[in-house]
Amino acid sequence: MSRATLLLGAAVEDYLKSIYKLSLENERVTPKMVAAEQGVSLAAVSKMVKRLCEQKLVRYDRGEGIDLSPPGRKVALEIVRHHRLIEAYLCEALGYSWDEVDEEAEKLEHVISEEFEDRIDRLLGHPTHDPHGAPIPTKDGEVDHRDHPALSEFDSGRVVVQRVNDHDPAMLRYLGDCGLYPGVSVDVLGEEPFGGPIHIRVAGEEISIGKELATHVFVEVAEEGKK
């Protein structure tokens, strides 16, 4: 492990990673959000946040929420890099499906050495995104995070899948069955009223997916559809 993560322990690293991920989707990260993300009690979060503040890895203010300090962000991005590189390696080198890799990566992200990380990176040709389309931070801690609209926001036109939420293996299996992988073009044909399903065409096949499911698929307007 690098000096950034040495001696911190898996629990601390998991909290920092959760705070980082929540900060991408919320203006303010609250203890309640962290508790839900980690699957623990508010009391456990309060205890850990106090510890992280003492280690100067986060700053916490009741009004402003929990914020990563520069050292805390460095650790979080290193763990995110480990996680996403491992996911890519499991898919591309070991034949795992994209719904299987998250659980394995959660176990391995805390224990791989920097040498192992570098070898995976070289072997895969320095990938920029994991199998679900999430950006892989560079070794220097840079990350190309972009906000993309959800598929649910479109009622017509051609879009290209950029990223999908990876928190639910069953959902990933279903999206895979629908062919909704990053890089795939999708024609949005329309949607039923009152929150009904969205009709799309993927690889020449017309299918319908629920509005809620479509909120977990993030897309970009295809080049030919841009003005």
Side-chain angles (χ1 to χ4, degrees):
M1 303 294 285
S2 74
R3 292 179 183 176
T5 56
L6 190 63
L7 301 179
L8 290 179
V12 167
E13 293 168 358
D14 279 339
Y15 269 86
L16 294 174
K17 184 177 71 171
S18 290
I19 294 167
Y20 168 74
K21 291 169 67 176
L22 288 167
S23 71
L24 298 178
E25 302 171 356
N26 303 275
E27 291 186 4
R28 187 169 71 97
V29 178
T30 67
K32 186 175 181 180
M33 292 177 185
V34 178
E37 179 77 11
Q38 288 286 104
V40 298
S41 67
L42 275 173
V45 171
S46 296
K47 183 177 180 180
M48 178 59 79
V49 168
K50 181 180 179 181
R51 176 182 172 186
L52 295 176
C53 286
E54 290 172 350
Q55 294 178 306
K56 301 188 184 306
L57 295 170
V58 305
R59 296 179 289 262
Y60 176 54
D61 178 272
R62 286 182 180 273
E64 298 182 3
I66 307 168
D67 184 39
L68 292 172
S69 68
R73 178 179 169 83
K74 181 178 180 181
V75 174
L77 286 173
E78 184 172 356
I79 297 303
V80 170
R81 174 174 168 80
H82 285 183
H83 185 97
R84 293 176 180 172
L85 273 175
I86 291 167
E87 287 188 328
Y89 178 72
L90 292 173
C91 272
E92 296 185 31
L94 299 184
Y96 279 68
S97 61
W98 73 338
D99 58 283
E100 298 174 316
V101 295
D102 184 66
E103 184 177 355
E104 293 289 351
E106 286 287 342
K107 301 171 187 174
L108 296 170
E109 65 189 18
H110 305 290
V111 298
I112 67 170
S113 67
E114 298 308 296
E115 175 63 23
F116 189 71
E117 172 200 319
D118 291 342
R119 291 195 179 203
I120 290 176
D121 191 33
R122 289 195 299 271
L123 177 68
L124 298 179
H126 309 291
T128 58
H129 293 77
D130 74 8
H132 313 107
I136 299 174
T138 68
K139 198 168 181 65
D140 295 328
E142 300 295 325
V143 59
D144 184 21
H145 178 79
R146 303 181 187 183
D147 290 323
H148 295 287
L151 178 59
S152 58
E153 297 178 29
F154 293 82
D155 57 15
S156 64
R158 173 166 289 188
V159 297
V160 179
V161 178
Q162 300 297 310
R163 178 175 64 85
V164 300
N165 279 337
D166 63 355
H167 63 277
D168 186 340
M171 183 184 74
L172 286 172
R173 285 192 292 273
Y174 184 78
L175 290 175
D177 290 341
C178 294
L180 291 171
Y181 293 100
V184 169
S185 294
V186 178
D187 291 312
V188 183
L189 306 176
E191 64 176 290
E192 298 297 330
F194 310 112
I198 298 173
H199 305 297
I200 59 177
R201 183 186 297 114
V202 183
E205 181 179 355
E206 293 187 14
I207 60 175
S208 298
I209 65 171
K211 187 86 168 181
E212 169 61 24
L213 178 61
T215 65
H216 297 283
V217 180
F218 301 94
V219 301
E220 182 176 86
V221 175
E223 286 297 326
E224 61 265 32
K226 294 181 179 178
K227 296 181 180 179

